[in-house]
Amino acid sequence: MKPHILTFETYDDWDQGPLEDTYVIHNLPHGGKIADLSSEAIANVEAFAFKGHEQLGASIMDAFPRLGMIANYGVGYDTIDVAHASSKGIKVTNTPDVLTDDVADLAVGMVIAQSRGMVGASEWITSGNWAKQGAYQLGSKVSGKTVGIVGLGRIGRAVAERLQPFGGDIHYYSRSPKDTNGWVHHDDIVSMAEVVDILIVTLSGGPETVGMVGAEALNALGADGLLVNASRGTTVNEAALLNALENQTIRGAGLDVFENEPQINPRFLALSNVLLQPHQSSGTTETRKVMGQLQRDNLAAFFAGDPLLTPVN
Ligand code: 8YV
Protein backbone atom coordinates (compact mmCIF):
# COMPACT_ATOMS: atom_id res chain seq x y z
CA MET A 1 0.00 0.00 0.00
CA LYS A 2 1.62 3.27 -1.10
CA PRO A 3 1.74 6.02 1.53
CA HIS A 4 -0.11 9.24 0.73
CA ILE A 5 1.83 12.50 0.41
CA LEU A 6 0.89 16.05 -0.50
CA THR A 7 3.12 17.77 -3.04
CA PHE A 8 3.09 21.57 -3.20
CA GLU A 9 3.33 23.31 -6.57
CA THR A 10 4.85 21.37 -9.48
CA TYR A 11 7.90 19.13 -9.88
CA ASP A 12 10.08 18.41 -12.88
CA ASP A 13 9.52 15.06 -14.55
CA TRP A 14 12.66 13.63 -13.01
CA ASP A 15 11.11 14.23 -9.59
CA GLN A 16 7.43 13.64 -10.38
CA GLY A 17 8.07 10.18 -11.81
CA PRO A 18 9.85 8.73 -8.77
CA LEU A 19 7.33 10.37 -6.43
CA GLU A 20 4.40 8.80 -8.30
CA ASP A 21 6.17 5.42 -8.32
CA THR A 22 6.43 5.46 -4.54
CA TYR A 23 3.49 7.43 -3.20
CA VAL A 24 -0.14 8.24 -3.73
CA ILE A 25 0.23 11.87 -4.74
CA HIS A 26 -2.16 14.62 -3.77
CA ASN A 27 -1.20 18.06 -5.09
CA LEU A 28 -1.74 21.59 -3.89
CA PRO A 29 -0.91 24.09 -6.65
CA HIS A 30 0.77 27.40 -5.72
CA GLY A 31 -1.92 29.51 -4.07
CA GLY A 32 -4.22 26.48 -3.81
CA LYS A 33 -6.63 25.93 -0.93
CA ILE A 34 -6.64 22.99 1.48
CA ALA A 35 -10.45 23.04 1.26
CA ASP A 36 -10.12 22.07 -2.41
CA LEU A 37 -8.37 18.80 -1.52
CA SER A 38 -10.26 15.51 -1.34
CA SER A 39 -11.36 14.02 1.97
CA GLU A 40 -9.11 11.08 1.06
CA ALA A 41 -6.10 13.43 1.01
CA ILE A 42 -7.00 15.05 4.30
CA ALA A 43 -7.48 11.68 5.99
CA ASN A 44 -4.44 9.88 4.58
CA VAL A 45 -1.58 12.31 3.86
CA GLU A 46 1.37 11.51 6.14
CA ALA A 47 4.03 13.77 4.60
CA PHE A 48 4.40 17.02 2.68
CA ALA A 49 6.80 17.49 -0.22
CA PHE A 50 7.05 21.24 0.26
CA LYS A 51 8.80 23.94 -1.80
CA GLY A 52 9.02 26.76 0.73
CA HIS A 53 7.36 29.38 -1.42
CA GLU A 54 4.40 30.10 0.85
CA GLN A 55 3.64 30.16 4.57
CA LEU A 56 3.18 26.69 6.08
CA GLY A 57 1.63 27.30 9.47
CA ALA A 58 -0.41 25.52 12.12
CA SER A 59 -3.74 25.70 10.30
CA ILE A 60 -2.39 23.71 7.36
CA MET A 61 -0.48 21.22 9.48
CA ASP A 62 -3.44 20.68 11.82
CA ALA A 63 -5.76 19.95 8.89
CA PHE A 64 -3.98 16.64 8.31
CA PRO A 65 -4.45 14.25 11.26
CA ARG A 66 -1.80 11.78 10.02
CA LEU A 67 0.88 14.36 9.08
CA GLY A 68 4.24 13.26 10.43
CA MET A 69 6.80 14.92 8.20
CA ILE A 70 7.47 17.99 6.07
CA ALA A 71 10.25 17.48 3.52
CA ASN A 72 11.33 20.91 2.28
CA TYR A 73 12.84 21.26 -1.20
CA GLY A 74 15.32 24.05 -0.44
CA VAL A 75 17.77 25.01 2.28
CA GLY A 76 15.67 27.85 3.69
CA TYR A 77 12.72 26.78 5.80
CA ASP A 78 11.70 30.21 7.09
CA THR A 79 8.15 29.86 5.77
CA ILE A 80 7.58 26.72 7.86
CA ASP A 81 6.35 27.08 11.45
CA VAL A 82 8.93 24.62 12.74
CA ALA A 83 8.01 25.31 16.37
CA HIS A 84 4.45 24.19 15.72
CA ALA A 85 5.64 21.18 13.75
CA SER A 86 7.89 20.19 16.66
CA SER A 87 5.05 20.64 19.14
CA LYS A 88 3.03 18.15 17.12
CA GLY A 89 5.91 15.71 16.64
CA ILE A 90 6.09 16.53 12.93
CA LYS A 91 9.59 16.13 11.52
CA VAL A 92 10.97 18.79 9.17
CA THR A 93 13.85 18.32 6.71
CA ASN A 94 15.53 20.60 4.18
CA THR A 95 18.13 20.29 1.41
CA PRO A 96 21.32 22.03 2.64
CA ASP A 97 24.81 21.77 1.13
CA VAL A 98 23.71 20.43 -2.28
CA LEU A 99 22.85 23.95 -3.46
CA THR A 100 25.62 25.94 -1.74
CA ASP A 101 27.80 26.15 -4.85
CA ASP A 102 24.98 27.36 -7.09
CA VAL A 103 23.90 30.09 -4.68
CA ALA A 104 27.48 31.24 -4.12
CA ASP A 105 28.15 31.16 -7.87
CA LEU A 106 25.13 33.35 -8.59
CA ALA A 107 26.05 35.81 -5.82
CA VAL A 108 29.54 36.21 -7.29
CA GLY A 109 28.02 36.39 -10.76
CA MET A 110 25.80 39.26 -9.64
CA VAL A 111 28.81 41.07 -8.17
CA ILE A 112 30.66 40.87 -11.48
CA ALA A 113 27.67 41.42 -13.77
CA GLN A 114 26.45 44.48 -11.85
CA SER A 115 29.91 45.97 -11.29
CA ARG A 116 30.78 45.65 -14.97
CA GLY A 117 27.31 46.48 -16.33
CA MET A 118 27.20 43.26 -18.34
CA VAL A 119 23.43 43.21 -18.91
CA GLY A 120 23.35 46.85 -19.99
CA ALA A 121 26.41 46.31 -22.17
CA SER A 122 24.71 43.47 -24.00
CA GLU A 123 21.64 45.67 -24.52
CA TRP A 124 23.99 48.40 -25.76
CA ILE A 125 24.84 46.12 -28.65
CA THR A 126 21.39 44.68 -29.34
CA SER A 127 19.88 48.19 -29.35
CA GLY A 128 22.35 49.29 -32.04
CA ASN A 129 23.83 51.90 -29.74
CA TRP A 130 27.35 50.52 -30.01
CA ALA A 131 27.38 51.13 -33.73
CA LYS A 132 25.66 54.48 -33.42
CA GLN A 133 27.13 55.93 -30.24
CA GLY A 134 30.36 54.03 -29.63
CA ALA A 135 31.74 52.66 -26.40
CA TYR A 136 29.55 51.63 -23.51
CA GLN A 137 29.81 53.44 -20.15
CA LEU A 138 32.63 52.50 -17.81
CA GLY A 139 31.92 50.04 -15.00
CA SER A 140 33.50 49.46 -11.61
CA LYS A 141 36.49 47.21 -10.90
CA VAL A 142 35.81 44.03 -8.93
CA SER A 143 39.34 42.75 -8.26
CA GLY A 144 40.88 44.27 -5.19
CA LYS A 145 37.59 45.59 -3.80
CA THR A 146 36.82 45.06 -0.10
CA VAL A 147 33.96 42.63 0.41
CA GLY A 148 31.62 42.30 3.40
CA ILE A 149 29.63 39.08 3.85
CA VAL A 150 26.52 39.43 6.01
CA GLY A 151 26.08 36.00 7.58
CA LEU A 152 28.92 33.48 7.39
CA GLY A 153 26.99 30.24 7.09
CA ARG A 154 27.65 27.61 4.40
CA ILE A 155 26.70 29.96 1.57
CA GLY A 156 28.39 33.08 2.98
CA ARG A 157 31.60 31.14 3.48
CA ALA A 158 31.43 29.77 -0.08
CA VAL A 159 30.98 33.31 -1.43
CA ALA A 160 33.98 34.55 0.58
CA GLU A 161 36.13 31.64 -0.64
CA ARG A 162 35.24 32.46 -4.24
CA LEU A 163 36.04 36.16 -3.87
CA GLN A 164 39.24 35.91 -1.81
CA PRO A 165 41.36 35.20 -4.95
CA PHE A 166 40.10 38.52 -6.39
CA GLY A 167 42.61 40.14 -4.03
CA GLY A 168 40.41 42.35 -1.88
CA ASP A 169 40.06 42.04 1.89
CA ILE A 170 37.22 39.85 3.11
CA HIS A 171 35.11 41.08 6.02
CA TYR A 172 32.16 39.29 7.56
CA TYR A 173 29.35 39.91 10.00
CA SER A 174 28.38 37.25 12.51
CA ARG A 175 27.34 37.30 16.16
CA SER A 176 30.68 35.76 17.13
CA PRO A 177 34.03 35.29 15.36
CA LYS A 178 34.41 32.18 13.20
CA ASP A 179 37.40 30.13 12.13
CA THR A 180 38.37 31.85 8.87
CA ASN A 181 41.34 32.39 6.56
CA GLY A 182 42.31 35.83 7.88
CA TRP A 183 38.91 37.43 7.27
CA VAL A 184 37.92 40.44 9.39
CA HIS A 185 35.08 39.82 11.87
CA HIS A 186 32.42 42.42 12.66
CA ASP A 187 29.65 42.04 15.19
CA ASP A 188 27.88 45.09 13.74
CA ILE A 189 26.64 45.34 10.14
CA VAL A 190 26.76 49.14 9.96
CA SER A 191 30.40 49.33 11.04
CA MET A 192 31.26 46.68 8.47
CA ALA A 193 29.33 48.51 5.74
CA GLU A 194 31.42 51.62 6.43
CA VAL A 195 34.66 49.86 5.44
CA VAL A 196 33.59 47.65 2.50
CA ASP A 197 32.90 48.34 -1.17
CA ILE A 198 30.59 45.35 -1.77
CA LEU A 199 28.07 44.09 0.78
CA ILE A 200 26.76 40.57 0.14
CA VAL A 201 23.81 39.33 2.18
CA THR A 202 23.74 35.57 2.83
CA LEU A 203 21.75 35.47 6.07
CA SER A 204 19.17 32.79 6.80
CA GLY A 205 15.59 33.99 6.49
CA GLY A 206 13.17 34.16 9.39
CA PRO A 207 11.95 36.54 12.13
CA GLU A 208 15.42 36.94 13.64
CA THR A 209 16.94 38.44 10.47
CA VAL A 210 14.10 40.65 9.24
CA GLY A 211 15.46 44.02 8.11
CA MET A 212 18.95 43.36 9.43
CA VAL A 213 20.38 45.43 6.57
CA GLY A 214 18.57 48.73 6.95
CA ALA A 215 18.90 52.39 5.98
CA GLU A 216 21.85 52.98 8.32
CA ALA A 217 23.87 50.14 6.78
CA LEU A 218 23.02 51.27 3.25
CA ASN A 219 24.05 54.84 4.08
CA ALA A 220 27.29 53.46 5.53
CA LEU A 221 27.92 51.44 2.37
CA GLY A 222 27.78 54.69 0.48
CA ALA A 223 27.44 56.08 -3.04
CA ASP A 224 30.19 53.83 -4.46
CA GLY A 225 28.87 50.75 -2.70
CA LEU A 226 27.24 47.67 -4.24
CA LEU A 227 24.70 45.52 -2.41
CA VAL A 228 24.05 41.90 -3.40
CA ASN A 229 21.25 39.92 -1.77
CA ALA A 230 21.21 36.14 -2.25
CA SER A 231 19.38 35.36 1.00
CA ARG A 232 15.71 36.33 1.46
CA GLY A 233 13.86 39.50 0.60
CA THR A 234 13.11 39.96 4.30
CA THR A 235 16.73 40.40 5.39
CA VAL A 236 17.13 43.80 3.71
CA ASN A 237 14.72 46.64 4.52
CA GLU A 238 13.19 46.92 1.09
CA ALA A 239 11.82 50.47 1.51
CA ALA A 240 15.30 51.66 2.53
CA LEU A 241 16.87 49.77 -0.37
CA LEU A 242 14.49 51.28 -2.92
CA ASN A 243 15.15 54.77 -1.54
CA ALA A 244 18.92 54.18 -1.68
CA LEU A 245 18.72 52.96 -5.28
CA GLU A 246 16.35 55.72 -6.45
CA ASN A 247 18.41 58.43 -4.77
CA GLN A 248 21.68 56.74 -5.81
CA THR A 249 23.01 56.84 -2.27
CA ILE A 250 24.37 53.40 -3.16
CA ARG A 251 25.82 52.69 -6.60
CA GLY A 252 23.66 49.68 -7.31
CA ALA A 253 22.42 46.26 -6.31
CA GLY A 254 22.20 42.68 -7.48
CA LEU A 255 19.04 41.05 -6.11
CA ASP A 256 17.84 37.44 -6.39
CA VAL A 257 15.25 37.81 -3.62
CA PHE A 258 12.46 40.24 -2.82
CA GLU A 259 9.49 40.84 -0.60
CA ASN A 260 6.25 39.35 -1.99
CA GLU A 261 7.81 37.25 -4.75
CA PRO A 262 7.01 37.06 -7.64
CA GLN A 263 4.84 40.23 -7.48
CA ILE A 264 7.81 42.40 -6.57
CA ASN A 265 7.56 46.13 -5.91
CA PRO A 266 7.19 47.82 -9.34
CA ARG A 267 9.61 50.54 -8.24
CA PHE A 268 12.40 48.01 -8.90
CA LEU A 269 11.36 47.79 -12.55
CA ALA A 270 12.03 51.48 -13.15
CA LEU A 271 15.62 51.35 -11.90
CA SER A 272 18.72 51.25 -14.12
CA ASN A 273 21.17 50.52 -11.28
CA VAL A 274 19.84 47.15 -10.20
CA LEU A 275 20.31 43.63 -11.55
CA LEU A 276 17.12 41.64 -10.96
CA GLN A 277 17.11 37.83 -10.77
CA PRO A 278 13.94 35.71 -10.25
CA HIS A 279 15.03 33.85 -7.10
CA GLN A 280 16.99 31.41 -9.23
CA SER A 281 20.10 30.93 -7.09
CA SER A 282 19.67 27.14 -6.84
CA GLY A 283 18.20 26.99 -10.31
CA THR A 284 20.45 24.66 -12.26
CA THR A 285 19.38 21.31 -13.64
CA GLU A 286 22.21 19.56 -11.86
CA THR A 287 21.43 21.03 -8.46
CA ARG A 288 17.64 20.77 -8.67
CA LYS A 289 18.00 17.06 -9.50
CA VAL A 290 20.14 16.52 -6.43
CA MET A 291 17.74 18.58 -4.29
CA GLY A 292 14.81 16.47 -5.44
CA GLN A 293 16.71 13.27 -4.72
CA LEU A 294 17.58 14.47 -1.21
CA GLN A 295 13.96 15.42 -0.55
CA ARG A 296 12.87 11.94 -1.65
CA ASP A 297 15.60 10.30 0.42
CA ASN A 298 14.30 12.13 3.48
CA LEU A 299 10.76 11.02 2.69
CA ALA A 300 11.92 7.42 2.24
CA ALA A 301 13.81 7.51 5.53
CA PHE A 302 10.74 8.82 7.32
CA PHE A 303 8.46 6.09 5.97
CA ALA A 304 11.09 3.43 6.69
CA GLY A 305 11.45 4.63 10.26
CA ASP A 306 15.12 5.36 9.61
CA PRO A 307 17.11 8.42 10.73
CA LEU A 308 16.38 11.44 8.53
CA LEU A 309 19.27 12.60 6.36
CA THR A 310 18.97 16.38 6.89
CA PRO A 311 16.64 17.07 9.84
CA VAL A 312 15.76 20.62 10.87
CA ASN A 313 14.06 19.78 14.18
C1 8YV B 1 14.95 27.14 -3.31
C2 8YV B 1 15.93 28.85 -1.80
O1 8YV B 1 16.09 26.36 -3.57
O2 8YV B 1 16.84 26.75 -1.18
C3 8YV B 1 16.35 27.85 -0.80
O3 8YV B 1 16.22 28.19 0.38
O4 8YV B 1 16.06 30.00 -1.54
C4 8YV B 1 15.38 28.54 -3.11
O5 8YV B 1 16.33 28.87 -4.11
C5 8YV B 1 13.98 27.11 -4.45
O6 8YV B 1 12.97 28.02 -4.21
C6 8YV B 1 13.41 25.72 -4.60
O7 8YV B 1 12.30 25.76 -5.44
Side-chain angles (χ1 to χ4, degrees):
M1 183 77 167
K2 289 181 181 179
H4 291 240
I5 69 169
L6 177 66
T7 59
F8 288 67
E9 303 177 54
T10 59
Y11 280 82
D12 293 293
D13 292 345
W14 55 71
D15 290 326
Q16 188 67 22
L19 287 169
E20 289 176 354
D21 290 346
T22 313
Y23 304 106
V24 174
I25 303 288
H26 304 275
N27 178 255
L28 191 67
H30 187 65
K33 299 198 181 330
I34 299 296
D36 295 336
L37 291 172
S38 68
S39 56
E40 181 198 30
I42 298 295
N44 292 289
V45 160
E46 297 179 70
F48 290 167
F50 185 58
K51 285 218 167 169
H53 299 156
E54 54 210 294
Q55 295 304 316
L56 177 48
S59 61
I60 295 177
M61 293 181 207
D62 295 350
F64 296 84
R66 297 188 64 192
L67 181 64
M69 192 243 196
I70 299 167
N72 189 48
Y73 178 96
V75 63
Y77 49 87
D78 47 297
T79 59
I80 301 171
D81 184 343
V82 175
H84 185 74
S86 299
S87 73
K88 303 265 293 190
I90 297 169
K91 297 296 183 187
V92 180
T93 63
N94 65 342
T95 59
D97 297 320
V98 296
L99 48 68
T100 298
D101 283 339
D102 271 8
V103 179
D105 290 348
L106 191 83
V108 173
M110 288 195 282
V111 167
I112 296 171
Q114 189 56 1
S115 298
R116 301 302 306 273
M118 292 175 71
V119 173
S122 182
E123 291 164 355
W124 187 253
I125 298 174
T126 54
S127 65
N129 283 335
W130 190 22
K132 285 183 280 190
Q133 299 182 40
Y136 185 59
Q137 67 192 43
L138 297 180
S140 177
K141 189 178 178 74
V142 176
S143 290
K145 289 289 173 62
T146 303
V147 171
I149 308 289
V150 184
L152 201 69
R154 300 175 182 93
I155 292 170
R157 188 175 286 271
V159 172
E161 288 166 352
R162 280 159 172 76
L163 287 172
Q164 186 156 27
F166 281 67
D169 291 334
I170 302 291
H171 295 236
Y172 70 97
Y173 161 78
S174 66
R175 284 190 289 262
S176 56
K178 304 219 172 174
D179 178 21
T180 68
N181 185 13
W183 306 338
V184 180
H185 174 248
H186 297 260
D187 60 9
D188 175 76
I189 295 172
V190 175
S191 61
M192 182 171 77
E194 284 168 350
V195 298
V196 304
D197 304 304
I198 302 168
L199 197 64
I200 303 172
V201 187
T202 52
L203 293 164
S204 299
E208 66 283 356
T209 61
V210 171
M212 279 190 79
V213 178
E216 200 178 354
L218 295 170
N219 289 337
L221 180 60
D224 293 328
L226 172 67
L227 176 91
V228 167
N229 192 359
S231 64
R232 285 286 185 272
T234 53
T235 59
V236 177
N237 181 310
E238 194 159 277
L241 175 57
L242 282 162
N243 289 338
L245 290 166
E246 288 169 345
N247 299 317
Q248 299 183 21
T249 53
I250 62 171
R251 178 166 54 79
L255 307 173
D256 186 49
V257 288
F258 307 85
E259 294 274 19
N260 198 37
E261 296 173 6
Q263 287 79 22
I264 70 172
N265 191 312
R267 290 166 63 188
F268 282 115
L269 309 182
L271 293 166
S272 61
N273 56 353
V274 64
L275 172 64
L276 304 175
Q277 296 290 288
H279 200 153
Q280 62 135 346
S281 56
S282 65
T284 65
T285 300
E286 297 91 336
T287 291
R288 290 291 170 86
K289 286 185 174 179
V290 176
M291 288 168 61
Q293 183 62 59
L294 180 51
Q295 183 187 45
R296 290 193 303 277
D297 291 347
N298 274 305
L299 286 165
F302 168 72
F303 284 108
D306 292 339
L308 302 174
L309 285 80
T310 48
V312 163
N313 62 350

